[in-house]
Amino acid sequence: MNTSSTTMRRRLASVAAAAALVVPVAATVGGAPASASPYCGIVWGSLPEAAAPMTTGSVLAVRSGRHACFDRLVVDIGPGAGHVGYSVSYVPVVTNPGSGFPVPVTGGARLQISVHAPATAKVPASGVANYAGWQTFRQLRWVSSFEGYTDLGLGVRARLPMRVFTLAGPGGGQRLVVDVAHHW
């Protein structure tokens, strides 16, 4: 080994050791641990969520609501055999799966929501819902119903924690629920 490479390795080792000493100090701010309580007790993340089943029911309606800690989108699915499947993820650009073309959606971040059920009509009827004054939601865009899948684009304020789950619906139907937290 030559002297310059030995010297370089020692310097790198010194920098790594110094960085290791700084990390525990940075973990507290003003004496409080950096791992403060989650917002509203929410422990969700922002990674993609999916379930593979498919239903013979159809998407009937899409509605939304505001809660104290999150905004909620509900996709109502009519009665049919099987359980509703879905794929929900943050994407750089919402795309139409049939054409591959981008679908513009307002917001600092975008969720592509794919419901494993066809739609009987364009939901919402106008194809666009805007959420002026809402904490998290910015815009909902109808994307398509293609080959048994219904896609929506949901624009939100930022990439925030989200959760996705299904519920039994009235009359033997089902509901797909997408909650997006107001804060981290």
Side-chain angles (χ1 to χ4, degrees):
M1 233 192 262
N2 66 32
T3 306
S4 66
S5 68
T6 302
T7 303
M8 181 59 82
R9 286 188 181 148
R10 285 184 185 155
R11 285 183 183 163
L12 289 173
S14 296
V15 169
L21 293 174
V22 172
V23 171
V25 174
T28 62
V29 178
S35 61
S37 298
Y39 170 74
C40 286
I42 292 173
V43 293
W44 320 328
S46 62
L47 295 176
E49 296 199 27
M54 192 129 188
T55 180
T56 58
S58 297
V59 173
L60 302 176
V62 178
R63 54 197 166 89
S64 47
R66 294 188 278 187
H67 295 263
C69 300
F70 55 88
D71 289 349
R72 173 172 282 180
L73 184 76
V74 178
V75 180
D76 292 316
I77 297 135
H83 295 286
V84 67
Y86 57 85
S87 172
V88 179
S89 62
Y90 281 102
V91 295
V93 176
V94 172
T95 57
N96 183 319
S99 68
F101 291 133
V103 177
V105 179
T106 303
R110 285 150 291 290
L111 284 167
Q112 178 115 19
I113 301 167
S114 182
V115 184
H116 301 185
T120 55
K122 186 184 275 190
V123 182
S126 68
V128 179
N130 291 305
Y131 298 100
W134 285 51
Q135 185 89 16
T136 300
F137 287 1
R138 295 296 181 256
Q139 185 179 52
L140 176 67
R141 294 285 311 250
W142 168 264
V143 176
S144 72
S145 186
F146 180 72
E147 294 185 349
Y149 293 82
T150 299
D151 279 82
L152 303 163
L154 179 62
V156 296
R157 181 173 50 79
R159 185 177 176 135
L160 294 162
M162 58 113 174
R163 69 176 173 179
V164 182
F165 57 95
T166 59
L167 295 170
Q174 300 174 66
R175 293 173 282 176
L176 175 67
V177 178
V178 179
D179 291 338
V180 183
H182 293 164
H183 300 285
W184 273 98

